[in-house]
Amino acid sequence: MDDGAVPARTSRFHQKRELILDAATELINRHGVRGMTFVDVAETVGLNTTSITYYFKRREHLAAAVLERSLERTEAMIREASAQPTPRARVRALLSANFDLQARVREGGSSAVAILSDIRALSPDLRDSLSHRYVEVFRSLRGFFDSGDDASGRAHAMAAAHVLVQNIFWLPAWLGQYSVGDFPRVEARLMEVFEHGIAADGACWSPEFLEIDEDTLRTGIEGMPDNFMRAATFLINERGYRGASVEQIAAEINVTKGSFYHHLDAKDDLVLECFRRSYGRVSLVQRAAANAGGDHWQQLASSIATLLDVQFFSDFPLLRTTALQALPNELRDDVLERSNRMARRFAGMMIDGISEGTVRAVDPLIASQAVMGAINSAYDLRKWASGLERDAAIAHYGGTLARGLFRQE
């Protein structure tokens, strides 16, 4: 990819360029592609902004170079893992490589991998080639799984690959709760979820779709119509926070910018309300499952299925957690705590299910994060799900959580 820079002719040039990429990676993971600036990068590496332009002529060229490097690192880990002889061995090798990377990042021995979902925030001329490359990376990952020649096998491979890669991307959001010394145990417990799922042997996948009363959810911004949040959620999920402007949100619901600012002081207020509404809906589903009765695996399966239905087929999905990058730190911490509360509620269902024998003896704190990561990212498979029957799409995807990533005949 042409990054708009002069050719690297010396080792000093290369070293400085890598330092710039490292700094930009941290800023992109913290603020998103559109929130990363030359000024912040220059301050981090001790240069002035004019010096940065010697390496990258435009900010978007720098962002694209960061994402391309992250894709290369991801490709390398997948390529190495794919040499293993079985699907389980491939997944285990890839998971181990990512835990090793997170440990090196924590200890300062490696730079982080940028969040690849922000590819969508680039301009089309840079986005298209990186998006194509990401598709090829995902296709390689899908090859980890023995799909067979039948449609069911191909659907399973798609769902399993997506749950795996999105959980790997979700790791940095919750792995900070553990010390590096705990990583081997955490890795082993997460691999158990990937290998065997959450349901106990003999437990059936027969969820009920739960009815929830969203009228009980009240927005914190008085008088703001639901369609503001619905439009903002779709646009942010599709284009990223910075790619969904106030003008675009207003146009989506056929109102003026003045009408938008009549209800809101800033877009951040709307994003925060979208997160609050998303987590409020998850909470309603969890409570509805408890009120519906049945054993605790049934409650968990019904919660998962209902939320997958929202993500795949509703006109108001949950907000992608990648929008967290755009929020100020104090707001981001509040949103993460809300996410962790939802995960702890899933963990509580699992603990009760383990006691009654309907849930496998998993680490509930780790397994609940796997559930949260899989549900939140399911939005990305809406097109895939639309090509299947509703129950089949949800069963294929939910089955990866119930029985594990490896096809159960």
Side-chain angles (χ1 to χ4, degrees), residues 124-360:
D125 58 318
L126 296 172
R127 180 183 65 224
D128 291 347
S129 63
L130 287 173
S131 295
H132 176 74
R133 189 165 180 177
Y134 177 81
V135 169
E136 292 302 313
V137 168
F138 183 79
R139 186 170 291 139
S140 298
L141 189 65
R142 194 173 59 195
F144 275 26
F145 302 95
D146 295 331
S147 61
D149 296 327
D150 62 305
S152 176
R154 291 192 295 271
H156 168 81
M158 175 68 81
H162 190 264
V163 168
L164 173 60
V165 72
Q166 294 301 326
N167 263 287
I168 286 173
F169 291 161
W170 182 238
L171 272 179
W174 60 270
L175 202 54
Q177 301 172 43
Y178 298 88
S179 69
V180 172
D182 292 328
F183 280 14
R185 189 193 71 82
V186 176
E187 178 189 331
R189 299 291 83 78
L190 183 57
M191 183 61 201
E192 286 177 354
V193 174
F194 288 160
E195 189 163 15
H196 304 294
I198 298 167
D201 292 339
C204 297
W205 173 262
S206 54
E208 297 178 4
F209 291 101
L210 304 165
E211 295 290 335
I212 59 173
D213 182 9
E214 293 199 29
D215 290 338
T216 61
L217 295 175
R218 292 289 179 261
T219 177
I221 301 175
E222 184 176 355
M224 186 178 73
D226 273 1
N227 60 346
F228 275 60
M229 284 186 286
R230 181 178 286 106
T233 295
F234 262 114
L235 285 170
I236 292 169
N237 283 354
E238 290 293 333
R239 304 178 189 177
Y241 172 85
R242 305 284 176 176
S245 66
V246 171
E247 290 85 352
Q248 289 167 325
I249 294 170
E252 190 74 16
I253 54 179
N254 198 29
V255 300
T256 64
K257 284 178 62 178
S259 177
F260 181 97
Y261 286 117
H262 174 73
H263 295 286
L264 299 150
D265 293 327
K267 191 171 73 172
D268 283 351
D269 297 331
L270 179 57
V271 176
L272 188 58
E273 287 307 313
C274 289
F275 271 118
R276 287 172 175 162
R277 175 60 68 93
S278 287
Y279 290 140
R281 294 162 76 199
V282 174
S283 181
L284 282 178
V285 168
Q286 291 171 323
R287 292 193 175 100
N291 292 335
D295 61 45
H296 288 91
W297 166 245
Q298 178 70 30
Q299 294 176 24
L300 188 58
S302 295
S303 298
I304 292 170
T306 301
L307 291 169
L308 289 179
D309 191 48
V310 167
Q311 294 292 71
F312 287 155
F313 302 112
S314 80
D315 64 353
F316 193 177
L318 305 177
L319 187 64
R320 285 298 309 268
T321 51
T322 49
L324 278 169
Q325 295 166 287
L327 293 175
N329 287 338
E330 63 274 14
L331 297 180
R332 191 185 314 168
D333 291 344
D334 175 66
V335 170
L336 277 173
E337 176 52 33
R338 288 171 182 265
S339 174
N340 286 331
R341 283 203 294 270
M342 301 302 100
R344 286 194 292 270
R345 190 169 291 132
F346 279 132
M349 292 181 186
M350 293 177 197
I351 290 169
D352 292 339
I354 292 168
S355 296
E356 71 184 5
T358 60
V359 171
R360 189 177 296 279

Side-chain angles (χ1 to χ4, degrees), residues 14-72:
H14 178 75
Q15 290 168 1
K16 186 63 71 174
R17 185 179 186 275
E18 288 299 304
L19 287 175
I20 292 170
L21 289 172
D22 290 346
T25 298
E26 293 296 332
L27 290 166
I28 287 173
N29 284 349
R30 200 177 308 147
H31 303 298
V33 161
R34 300 296 180 91
M36 180 270 293
T37 68
F38 272 0
V39 172
D40 290 336
V41 173
E43 183 178 337
T44 301
V45 298
L47 295 173
N48 57 45
T49 54
T50 302
S51 297
I52 300 294
T53 61
Y54 176 70
Y55 297 87
F56 301 95
K57 295 301 184 186
R58 289 170 43 204
R59 182 179 59 83
E60 276 218 329
H61 287 144
L62 172 55
V66 166
L67 294 166
E68 183 175 39
R69 187 179 70 161
S70 294
L71 273 169
E72 289 171 352

